[in-house]
């Protein structure tokens, strides 16, 4: 059923790694409140192995449901894949814009997300976008609630462009002034992408918070 798919699509760790999680290393999604400054600073040393699972609690970023692993291992593997390019279906923001195959990639700074037409796809001629992942506010599965429209799930673009049969493998990156709406090639790829973006954005937000010395709000 759909509930089973949702649980699978938004599950905890990368394929093949479920056996390596230590139940006492971070307390999963339970636990008290937002991390203090000291806890944030300690994340740098506490997440160097793939055996650390932590509650991703930040005022500035919300990971995808069920994504609680932001270890160096997860982030490094995901960034390596993004640098080589990951092909997905990206839904255009314009009503008249078709959903097309795009290759997602991250720039050498490890935080600027961009995409280009996949092989065989027409080029738009427009300058390729460059989005700063430190400004990403949420990774949201197509079945997760839309806080701006409590009666609905996903985003307005996913509701308009994504076919119901593909919702289980679709998600969006939520930025302050736009969303990036994606349908993965498979449910497994969707899981990897949601876990990867959740971990990467979380770590970027933590690094920014530690460097700034503030509470990360604003």
């Amino acid at each position: 059923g759909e509930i089973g798919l949702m649980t699978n699509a938004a599950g905890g760790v990368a394929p093949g790694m479920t056996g390596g999680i230590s139940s006492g290393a971070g307390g999963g999604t339970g636990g008290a409140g937002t991390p203090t400054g000291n806890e944030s600073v300690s994340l740098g040393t506490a997440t160097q192995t793939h055996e650390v699972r932590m509650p991703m609690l930040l005022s500035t970023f919300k990971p995808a449901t069920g994504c609680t692993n932001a270890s160096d291992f997860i982030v490094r593997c995901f960034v390596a894949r993004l640098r080589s390019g990951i092909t997905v279906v990206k839904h255009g923001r314009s009503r008249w814009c078709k959903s097309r195959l795009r290759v997602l990639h991250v720039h050498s700074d490890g935080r600027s997300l961009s995409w280009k037409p996949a092989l065989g796809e027409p080029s738009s001629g427009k300058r390729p976008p460059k989005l700063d992942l430190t400004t990403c506010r949420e990774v949201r599965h197509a079945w997760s609630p839309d806080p701006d429209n409590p009666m609905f799930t996903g985003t307005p673009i996913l509701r308009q462009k994504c076919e119901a049969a593909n919702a289980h493998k679709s998600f969006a990156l939520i930025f302050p002034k736009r969303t990036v709406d994606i349908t993965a090639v498979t449910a497994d790829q969707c899981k990897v992408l949601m876990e990867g973006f959740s971990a990467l954005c979380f770590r970027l937000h933590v690094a920014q918070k530690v460097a700034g010395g503030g509470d990360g709000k604003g």
Side-chain angles (χ1 to χ4, degrees), residues 104-119:
L104 299 177
H105 62 95
V106 70
H107 291 259
S108 57
D109 62 4
R111 58 188 269 182
S112 299
L113 179 71
S114 192
W115 53 84
K116 59 187 177 183
L119 200 63

Side-chain angles (χ1 to χ4, degrees), residues 26-32 53-57 64-68:
T29 53
R53 183 186 282 236
M54 71 193 70
M56 291 191 185
L57 299 171
T65 303
C67 293
T68 59

